[in-house]
Amino acid sequence: MRTPVSTYRLQIRSTFTLQDAQRQVQYLSDLGADWVYLSPLLTAEEGSDHGYDVVDLSAVDPARGGEAGLEAVATAAHAAGMGVLVDIVPNHMGVATPAQNPWWWSLLKEGQGSRYAEAFDVDWAAGKGRILLPVLGSADDVASLKVVGDELHYYDHRFPLAEGSADDGADAVTVHGRQHYELVDWRRADTDLNYRRFFAVNTLAGLRVEVPWVFDESHEQILSWVRRGWVDGLRVDHPDGLADPAGYLERLKAGSGGAYVLVEKILEPGEVMPPEFATEGTTGYDALAQVDRIFVDPAGEEPLTALDAELRGGPCDYAEMIHGTKREVTDGILNSEIRRLSRLIPEGTGLEPEAAVDALAEIISNFDVYRTYLPFGVEHLEAAAQASRRRRPELAATVDVLLPLLSGQAGDAPEATATGTGSDQLATRFQQTSGMVMAKGVEDCAFYRYTRLTSLTEVGADPSMWSRTPEQFHAFMAERQQREPLAMNALSTHDTKRGEDVRARISLISEYPKEWAALISRLQELAPLPDGPLANLLWQSTVGAWPIDRQRLQGYAEKAAREAGNSTTWTDQNEEFEKALTALVDAVFDVPEIGTLISDFVETLRRHWTSNALSAKMIQLTAPGVPDIYQGSELWEQSLTDPDNRRPIDFALRSRILQDLDDGATPSATDDEAKLLVTSRALRLRRDRPDLFTSYTGLAADGPAAAHVLAFDRGGAITVTTRLPRGLDGTGWSGTTLELPYPVTDVLSGSSYPAGRTAVAELLQQYPVALLATDTNADNHGNEGDQR
């Protein structure tokens, strides 16, 4: 199995095709990246900017460059000694435009008689033999339907007609009643939808890849890329949505000939993946959470928590908040999923239907992880059941009946009966559903409400976990080196709520709590918003992304407010509040004092911000795992949540800067170019000298500023970084030393140091970070090919 030393993620779309990617391969190789990492490539909905809404599983998307484009990228990458990793989407397909998806079109046209009825996850009985499509503006809109040839039209929406269903010339409403689908008011999706989706997205319909022929046909194209030698590894999107993730991964491994496989699995603190998963590891959100928290000052927790309480009118219990947001989801946008679970409860249990729905929702809302993989993780289910009994004593008897059904104890293990019925199917589907509730209730809601320090509200993180000590960080990384040395290390992705350098700046607020409180107070006077926690989030985001333009900030503010759902929502917008929200953003650019306050605060943070940013990057690049560079993040990455983080990247600029650095340019520690220096030198050393990165040992400094050093030895390469930099103001590194176990040379500055006790002030004289290699005979300024 070929494995990557590092990856570089490219977002492939119609405006940056595979041919465009092929033209950047040489730059990526010069940068030091080991593999090219591509976003989903199969044919997606027309105009899709992300590719996760696949409509045709049989072809590389022509709009993204087609098969010829993939071959071109692979050929160029392999010629440069690089590998290719591709993101794949087994859980769902795009169905927004039925005519673009032949599998879905067949399902709608032929109903349960379609060959593809088995491929999609439809509860036909609940729809009385029909699949409900929530597309109408209201129930009265059936009057707007038209029969056009062999199709039924609703404005721009087109649907197929069942064979012979319109031959008698009946009116459109009558013809509609004869179809295998029913067009319904979009609001009914919350309670009545009868097909599985990706989260609450009606236009992404779940696939049943646990069915052998569905796996074979949905992966035929993907696995052909591996067989032809174009693709070396696969990244699996959202495996938690699958009925049998372990079985799926085993089949994928076998079908790919044992290729490198990563899974987008979000692990909660302390959680591990099932040992039977045939994967090299996760996409690295667990590592991201550890890196971020090294730069959060423990002393900032109390004052920033107090400020949060002041802004929201009282203290906030995070555990209570997320229980509430998850219940909002189970009782709202995903209630149809909970009701489908209730329909799978075997007859004879004596459970009252609504009590069963309530208890299922309560158990899911008490889950502390995304899902179980029974029997693995059954303790999380049992803990959720116990919490449900404690919170809702009146449901205790119902919970007691449900628990053995949900744990698979009432029948065979759910993995063995993924296509079965009754309690086995209930246990399987419950596992598929719990992750949806966690994602929508926590990531997409609570993370926009819990705003005391928003660098902590990141995918895969627990924002109630404030900071990490160096000792805790070292313990995590030592275990990672032993357990998952080939898992990915992420710092920014297409899914992160904020780019890595936005978070680096926001984390600094923990070192400036008094100044932040004063700034927020004045900003609220100048641009008041009747939602204190949201105002805190928006001002943190503005500072983190500064400078930012009006359009980007308006788009982010609207999304953040509607996701939070406290003052306005996507489906029930509060016009008065949203006017105040728009006014706040406009004030950033139109009220001179606000612009000055923000600019001055950002300038106050500047030197410490770049220290945090460069240190976080160096840790990500050199710690155990496979570091991924999200497109463009070799320079300051100050994007906000999608779609802001999919803006075009100026690769020509980056290439010029890299050439200047290779020609001897020496940027200052606060320059944009310094990040590209750190990135390129660390990537090159890891690629060209893998023998220096085979173990992990945490190193402790001595002296008055020892707590501000995070250092570790990878077995020949030593990383030294700065943390909590404000605490160094005045005294600096005076009297602080680090014991070097062998002679080294810093690949950033070129300075050499003997073994023994060395002043940290010397090591970090030029930059807040150092990468010390025991032997730099290998040329660290160019790519000499794959030396593994």
Side-chain angles (χ1 to χ4, degrees):
M1 177 181 68
R2 184 178 186 181
T3 60
V5 173
S6 64
T7 60
Y8 190 105
R9 167 82 175 208
L10 294 172
Q11 295 295 114
I12 305 301
R13 50 195 167 185
S14 61
T15 55
F16 186 86
T17 65
L18 288 161
Q19 285 79 4
D20 295 317
Q22 183 269 331
R23 287 188 280 273
Q24 299 306 326
V25 166
Q26 186 58 55
Y27 162 70
L28 301 184
S29 177
D30 292 343
L31 183 67
D34 192 40
W35 281 26
V36 181
Y37 171 21
L38 306 173
S39 61
L41 300 178
L42 292 173
T43 304
E45 283 271 354
E46 291 178 10
S48 171
D49 203 32
H50 50 76
Y52 290 94
D53 46 0
V54 175
V55 296
D56 184 353
L57 296 158
S58 68
V60 179
D61 196 337
R64 287 172 163 75
E67 189 172 280
L70 177 56
E71 183 179 16
V73 171
T75 299
H78 292 146
M82 304 174 75
V84 178
L85 177 69
V86 176
D87 197 347
I88 63 172
V89 191
N91 179 70
H92 51 266
M93 293 188 77
V95 297
T97 310
Q100 292 183 26
N101 187 328
W103 288 25
W104 190 250
W105 189 262
S106 171
L107 178 76
L108 299 185
K109 183 178 179 67
E110 302 170 63
Q112 297 178 71
S114 167
R115 178 172 182 268
Y116 298 104
E118 191 178 21
F120 293 101
D121 205 344
V122 182
D123 184 354
W124 293 100
K128 299 179 180 179
R130 305 171 80 186
I131 183 169
L132 305 186
L133 303 181
V135 299
L136 299 182
S138 71
D140 294 339
D141 274 7
V142 291
S144 301
L145 300 179
K146 295 180 180 179
V147 174
V148 181
D150 58 355
E151 295 178 355
L152 186 67
H153 287 197
Y154 171 63
Y155 297 107
D156 293 334
H157 297 274
R158 298 165 46 212
F159 305 93
L161 293 179
E163 194 71 32
S165 61
D167 288 352
D168 61 357
D171 63 86
V173 173
T174 300
V175 171
H176 171 241
R178 298 168 177 169
Q179 304 311 309
H180 299 289
Y181 54 85
E182 180 183 0
L183 307 183
V184 299
D185 185 330
W186 64 270
R187 298 166 187 83
R188 287 183 60 187
D190 289 0
T191 54
D192 300 338
L193 198 75
N194 64 334
Y195 62 90
R196 182 172 63 86
R197 304 161 287 176
F198 171 71
F199 297 164
V201 184
N202 300 334
T203 55
L204 295 175
L207 274 182
R208 300 181 65 226
V209 292
E210 67 271 19
V211 178
W213 76 261
V214 177
F215 176 95
D216 291 340
E217 294 193 19
S218 62
H219 287 69
E220 181 178 356
Q221 177 69 205
I222 291 166
L223 295 178
S224 76
W225 304 338
V226 180
R227 288 193 297 269
R228 284 185 275 186
W230 293 354
V231 170
D232 305 286
L234 300 169
R235 180 263 196 194
V236 179
D237 181 67
H238 190 48
D240 277 356
L242 306 180
D244 180 12
Y248 169 81
L249 291 171
E250 182 179 358
R251 187 158 191 167
L252 186 68
K253 266 288 187 183
S256 65
Y260 177 77
V261 171
L262 288 177
V263 291
E264 186 209 22
K265 168 60 189 168
I266 294 174
L267 297 171
E268 292 300 301
E271 184 186 7
V272 297
M273 281 198 301
E276 66 269 21
F277 273 22
T279 174
E280 277 57 63
T282 73
T283 51
Y285 289 114
D286 49 341
L288 180 155
Q290 295 289 324
V291 173
D292 279 352
R293 280 157 178 74
I294 275 293
F295 302 99
V296 176
D297 190 346
E301 182 172 15
E302 184 177 343
L304 290 179
T305 301
L307 174 62
D308 178 74
E310 179 184 333
L311 290 169
R312 69 174 67 246
C316 176
D317 184 316
Y318 179 68
E320 289 297 317
M321 173 185 281
I322 63 173
H323 175 269
T325 56
K326 286 189 280 187
R327 273 307 307 233
E328 288 176 24
V329 169
T330 59
D331 299 343
I333 59 174
L334 289 179
N335 187 248
S336 58
E337 299 291 342
I338 303 299
R339 291 187 176 280
R340 185 170 181 182
L341 291 175
S342 73
R343 293 193 292 271
L344 293 172
I345 297 172
E347 294 182 7
T349 62
L351 295 182
E352 195 274 325
E354 287 305 312
V357 169
D358 192 6
L360 287 165
E362 187 63 27
I363 295 170
I364 277 187
S365 297
N366 280 297
F367 250 67
D368 59 354
V369 294
Y370 275 68
R371 64 165 285 173
T372 58
Y373 309 89
L374 295 174
F376 187 87
V378 69
E379 67 276 10
H380 296 289
L381 173 60
E382 292 169 346
Q386 183 59 31
S388 299
R389 297 185 191 100
R390 186 173 61 252
R391 284 180 177 274
R392 300 285 303 281
E394 74 277 16
L395 292 177
T398 305
V399 170
D400 289 343
V401 173
L402 289 173
L403 182 57
L405 302 175
L406 299 176
S407 63
Q409 296 172 7
D412 296 331
E415 285 81 2
T417 58
T419 59
T421 59
S423 62
D424 295 322
Q425 195 179 46
L426 171 61
T428 298
R429 183 168 297 283
F430 183 90
Q431 294 178 94
Q432 292 176 277
T433 305
S434 62
M436 301 183 194
V437 175
M438 179 75 89
K440 295 307 297 179
V442 179
E443 285 179 39
D444 292 346
C445 184
F447 276 10
Y448 291 91
R449 294 184 183 183
Y450 193 71
T451 62
R452 60 178 183 163
L453 191 68
T454 58
S455 57
L456 304 181
T457 51
E458 195 47 83
V459 178
D462 179 351
S464 67
M465 181 190 293
W466 182 260
S467 62
R468 297 280 88 182
T469 65
E471 293 76 19
Q472 290 169 323
F473 179 86
H474 292 320
F476 176 90
M477 286 300 173
E479 183 178 359
R480 189 174 183 80
Q481 172 68 20
Q482 182 178 16
R483 186 192 298 270
E484 292 182 329
L486 294 174
M488 183 173 280
N489 285 348
L491 208 54
S492 294
T493 77
H494 64 286
D495 276 335
T496 44
K497 303 296 184 186
R498 295 161 193 84
E500 59 201 54
D501 300 321
V502 176
R503 299 197 311 275
R505 190 180 282 167
I506 291 172
S507 289
L508 263 178
I509 292 172
S510 69
E511 297 193 67
Y512 289 82
K514 291 181 181 179
E515 293 86 345
W516 182 250
L519 179 61
I520 282 287
S521 177
R522 181 57 181 153
L523 290 173
Q524 278 285 76
E525 290 175 359
L526 294 169
L529 189 71
D531 184 333
L534 182 65
N536 199 6
L537 176 146
L538 293 176
W539 292 121
Q540 288 181 47
S541 299
T542 302
V543 165
W546 195 261
I548 186 172
D549 64 50
R550 189 189 306 255
Q551 183 177 3
R552 287 178 58 206
L553 190 55
Q554 286 284 16
Y556 174 75
E558 178 183 275
K559 178 172 183 175
R562 293 177 180 176
E563 294 280 38
N566 276 331
S567 302
T568 188
T569 70
W570 290 106
T571 57
D572 186 16
Q573 287 129 43
N574 182 326
E575 185 176 346
E576 183 177 349
F577 178 82
E578 294 203 0
K579 285 181 179 178
L581 187 69
T582 299
L584 181 150
V585 174
D586 285 339
V588 172
F589 304 96
D590 298 338
V591 177
E593 184 181 349
I594 291 179
T596 299
L597 286 169
I598 292 172
S599 295
D600 288 350
F601 187 71
V602 168
E603 185 58 32
T604 298
L605 302 182
R606 180 170 177 76
R607 179 168 55 89
H608 298 328
W609 166 58
T610 55
S611 175
N612 271 7
L614 295 179
S615 294
K617 198 65 184 174
M618 183 64 86
I619 292 169
Q620 182 225 1
L621 294 169
T622 59
V626 177
D628 174 56
I629 311 302
Y630 183 68
Q631 60 176 25
S633 64
E634 61 270 36
L635 296 180
W636 302 135
E637 170 48 64
Q638 292 180 264
S639 297
L640 298 172
T641 193
D642 69 281
D644 192 58
N645 57 14
R646 293 198 297 268
R647 288 171 293 142
I649 303 301
D650 188 342
F651 286 105
L653 170 65
R654 287 159 174 77
S655 184
R656 288 195 303 271
I657 293 173
L658 182 60
Q659 186 60 58
D660 289 344
L661 293 171
D662 289 346
D663 289 341
T666 305
S668 77
T670 58
D671 289 343
D672 205 1
E673 294 84 353
K675 191 178 182 191
L676 204 151
L677 176 72
V678 167
T679 302
S680 61
R681 276 35 180 180
L683 286 177
R684 290 173 182 180
L685 188 67
R686 286 206 70 163
R687 179 194 62 196
D688 300 337
R689 296 297 309 278
D691 56 301
L692 304 183
F693 297 87
T694 58
S695 63
Y696 184 89
T697 304
L699 300 178
D702 292 313
H708 297 277
V709 177
L710 183 82
F712 49 84
D713 180 0
R714 293 301 317 279
I718 297 173
T719 292
V720 185
T721 64
T722 304
R723 61 185 295 265
L724 310 184
R726 192 186 189 189
L728 295 170
D729 288 352
T731 59
W733 294 112
S734 178
T736 304
T737 61
L738 184 69
E739 183 76 24
L740 299 178
Y742 39 78
V744 293
T745 298
D746 184 1
V747 302
L748 300 182
S749 67
S751 299
S752 295
Y753 306 94
R757 192 159 298 282
T758 305
V760 173
E762 285 189 49
L763 297 175
L764 304 183
Q765 183 174 8
Q766 189 167 358
Y767 298 108
V769 299
L771 180 55
L772 311 173
T774 186
D775 177 9
T776 55
N777 291 334
D779 180 7
N780 191 40
H781 295 283
N783 182 1
E784 296 187 353
D786 187 355
Q787 300 181 14
R788 292 187 298 281

